[in-house]
């Protein structure tokens, strides 16, 4: 088990970084990674053939907001990326030119009557803002002056396009509040969901609002010193009960994306039982972690030295993932948000089908997010 960021590095040719999604979406490639033996080159449209009756796909139903804003403090231009809404309705944000801000400053936005007051500043470029608009007025404000915060590796010299508005949204999107899309969900279409349903596998959703911290690199070489940004997550009682019932019946829990997996693991107790959850999570999953709630993971291919490559290495085994990524590079799979996907099996988990009926208190009652 490594604690060094450099041990999660790998070579990735820039030509393999996808700049737009596959069309149709389910035509993206799918690298099937069993626990051992050869890898299988498939397509996302083959996913139903890898499922069985009684399995449960768990997807993230967060919806991306236009989180990139350009504000003015007098003549100074301030770049703002919304991160997450806080319990009192204020927003935690990441700021470029943060040194120009002072607590008490009022920020204006070209073309809008709405303003934002700076309530707090943090080291490292974070801040807390209170906007003059709330609710539906805030949604309209973002539609007027905001832009998608596309990942920096998707090159858009003139900003996100109208096509990106469509491409960077999943079929599951329902609850507004994410800065970045849960990208494994981008591969799903109505026809693919119909094919999944025809297998007898079940589906449900949870909500994790992906924050701006997802774009931040790991700066420490000792990964134990890396600080994960908090993100808001919600699992209802109904969803928790359904997940637990499937596992007790011997079905497999298949997380669609690392966001779904991180929230499921945040809500699971030491026996693997998932509880209702309504709070922030900053769970950092890296090799050595013992998974409690997830049997399989469908996810895109992640950045070198990233917390997400550390997560998949923890899930399927570091050497297994090194080999899988080497195969993906050699086979010209497309990487990152608009890229291809892989299907992984958990190599380190508790006995998935022996779930205790004991109950454990989990955080509930955090402030409501945008909906």
């Amino acid at each position: 088990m490594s604690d060094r960021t450099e041990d999660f590095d790998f070579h990735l040719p820039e030509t393999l970084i996808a700049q737009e999604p596959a069309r149709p979406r389910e035509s993206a490639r799918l690298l099937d990674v069993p626990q051992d033996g050869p890898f299988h080159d498939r397509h996302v449209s083959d996913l139903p053939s890898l499922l069985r009756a009684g399995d449960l796909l768990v997807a993230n139903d967060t919806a991306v907001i236009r989180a990139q804003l350009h504000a003015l403090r007098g003549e100074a231009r301030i770049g703002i990326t919304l991160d997450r809404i806080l319990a009192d309705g204020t927003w935690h944000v990441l700021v470029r030119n943060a040194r120009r801000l002072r607590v008490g400053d009022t920020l204006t936005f070209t073309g809008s009557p709405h303003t934002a007051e700076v309530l707090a500043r943090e080291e490292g470029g974070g801040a807390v803002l209170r906007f003059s608009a709330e609710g539906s007025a805030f949604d309209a404000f973002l539609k007027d002056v905001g832009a998608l915060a596309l990942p920096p590796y998707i090159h858009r010299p003139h900003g996100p396009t109208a096509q990106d508005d469509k491409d960077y949204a999943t079929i599951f999107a329902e609850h507004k509040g994410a800065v970045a899309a849960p990208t494994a969900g981008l591969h799903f279409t109505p026809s693919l969901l119909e094919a999944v349903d025809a297998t007898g596998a079940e589906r449900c959703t949870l909500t994790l609002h992906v924050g701006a911290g997802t774009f931040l690199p790991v700066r420490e070489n000792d990964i134990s010193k890396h600080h994960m940004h908090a993100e808001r997550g919600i699992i209802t009682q109904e969803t928790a009960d359904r997940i637990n019932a499937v596992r007790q019946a011997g079905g497999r829990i298949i997380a669609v994306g690392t966001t779904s997996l991180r929230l499921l693991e945040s809500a699971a107790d030491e026996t693997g039982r998932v509880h209702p959850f309504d709070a922030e999570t900053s769970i950092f999953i890296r090799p050595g972690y013992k998974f409690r709630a997830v049997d399989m993971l469908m996810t895109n291919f992640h950045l070198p030295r990233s917390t997400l490559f550390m997560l998949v290495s923890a899930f399927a085994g570091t050497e297994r993932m090194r080999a899988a990524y080497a195969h993906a590079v050699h086979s010209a799979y497309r990487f990152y948000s608009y890229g291809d996907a892989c299907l992984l099996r958990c190599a380190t988990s508790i006995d998935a089908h022996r779930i205790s009926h004991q109950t454990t208190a989990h955080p509930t009652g955090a402030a409501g997010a945008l909906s």
Side-chain angles (χ1 to χ4, degrees):
M1 183 178 68
S2 173
D3 289 325
R4 298 184 305 175
T5 301
E6 64 190 28
D7 291 335
F8 297 92
D9 201 3
F10 58 88
H11 174 66
L12 179 69
E14 189 171 352
T15 54
L16 296 185
I17 300 175
Q19 298 301 307
E20 61 180 36
R23 305 187 197 282
R25 295 190 182 203
E26 67 266 35
S27 69
R29 298 173 72 188
L30 179 70
L31 180 59
D32 183 6
V33 181
Q35 286 188 336
D36 51 39
F39 306 126
H40 304 287
D41 297 306
R42 307 185 192 275
H43 292 87
V44 170
S45 57
D46 297 322
L47 177 65
S49 69
L50 303 173
L51 304 177
R52 58 192 185 216
D55 288 344
L56 179 66
L57 264 69
V58 185
N60 187 357
D61 64 10
T62 188
V64 176
I65 59 175
R66 293 172 171 253
Q68 196 77 56
L69 305 172
H70 294 285
L72 294 172
R73 174 187 169 270
E75 298 294 321
R77 292 179 62 84
I78 308 293
I80 296 171
T81 303
L82 301 179
D83 180 30
R84 65 189 190 277
I85 194 169
L86 302 178
D88 59 359
T90 60
W91 279 86
H92 185 267
V93 302
L94 299 184
V95 182
R96 294 185 300 282
N97 295 334
R99 286 177 294 181
R100 298 187 179 185
L101 292 186
R102 299 290 182 271
V103 173
D105 283 348
T106 297
L107 306 179
T108 59
F109 301 88
T110 302
S112 174
H114 295 297
T115 60
E117 180 186 358
V118 181
L119 301 183
R121 270 191 55 196
E122 302 170 353
E123 293 296 325
V128 177
L129 305 182
R130 182 179 296 280
F131 289 89
S132 61
E134 296 181 352
S136 59
F138 186 73
D139 290 346
F141 163 72
L142 291 185
K143 185 175 181 180
D144 289 341
V145 305
L148 288 178
L150 285 180
Y153 46 75
I154 296 177
H155 302 306
R156 296 291 186 269
H158 305 293
T161 66
Q163 186 63 48
D164 285 316
D165 283 334
K166 300 175 182 177
D167 289 341
Y168 204 58
T170 77
I171 194 173
F172 307 106
E174 183 175 354
H175 302 292
K176 297 176 184 176
V179 174
T183 54
L186 296 178
H187 299 291
F188 287 82
T189 62
S191 61
L192 180 58
L193 292 182
E194 287 179 8
V196 168
D197 294 343
T199 68
E202 301 178 37
R203 296 186 283 115
C204 70
T205 59
L206 44 68
T207 307
L208 183 74
H209 293 309
V210 189
T214 193
F215 297 133
L216 297 179
V218 180
R219 302 187 187 280
E220 301 281 352
N221 195 41
D222 180 351
I223 63 175
S224 66
K225 296 180 179 178
H226 178 69
H227 173 71
M228 292 285 286
H229 282 67
E231 295 170 317
R232 170 76 186 288
I234 301 170
I235 297 177
T236 65
Q237 180 73 61
E238 179 183 5
T239 297
D241 289 346
R242 192 171 179 189
I243 291 167
N244 294 329
V246 166
R247 299 195 90 208
Q248 280 191 311
R252 299 174 297 181
I253 303 302
I254 303 164
V256 178
T258 57
T259 59
S260 298
L261 180 146
R262 290 179 65 244
L263 185 53
L264 286 168
E265 293 297 321
S266 298
D269 63 29
E270 61 185 12
T271 72
R273 187 171 185 80
V274 173
H275 295 263
F277 191 94
D278 190 345
E280 292 184 338
T281 177
S282 55
I283 189 171
F284 182 11
I285 296 175
R286 56 189 191 269
Y289 181 88
K290 195 163 189 177
F291 289 85
R292 303 171 176 181
V294 177
D295 302 298
M296 297 172 66
L297 169 64
M298 178 182 172
T299 182
N300 284 22
F301 291 95
H302 304 293
L303 281 70
R305 303 172 67 94
S306 65
T307 59
L308 295 182
F309 184 59
M310 295 173 191
L311 182 153
V312 296
S313 296
F315 189 78
T318 301
E319 293 309 313
R320 190 67 172 158
M321 290 314 300
R322 284 187 184 282
Y325 271 51
H327 175 90
V329 170
H330 178 75
S331 303
Y333 276 72
R334 301 163 72 247
F335 274 63
Y336 304 166
S337 296
Y338 279 159
D340 297 319
C342 56
L343 185 66
L344 311 178
R345 279 78 171 172
C346 187
T348 57
S349 64
I350 64 170
D351 185 346
H353 308 302
R354 295 187 181 181
I355 300 176
S356 165
H357 284 281
Q358 100 183 52
T359 57
T360 302
H362 274 65
T364 57
L370 297 174
S371 60

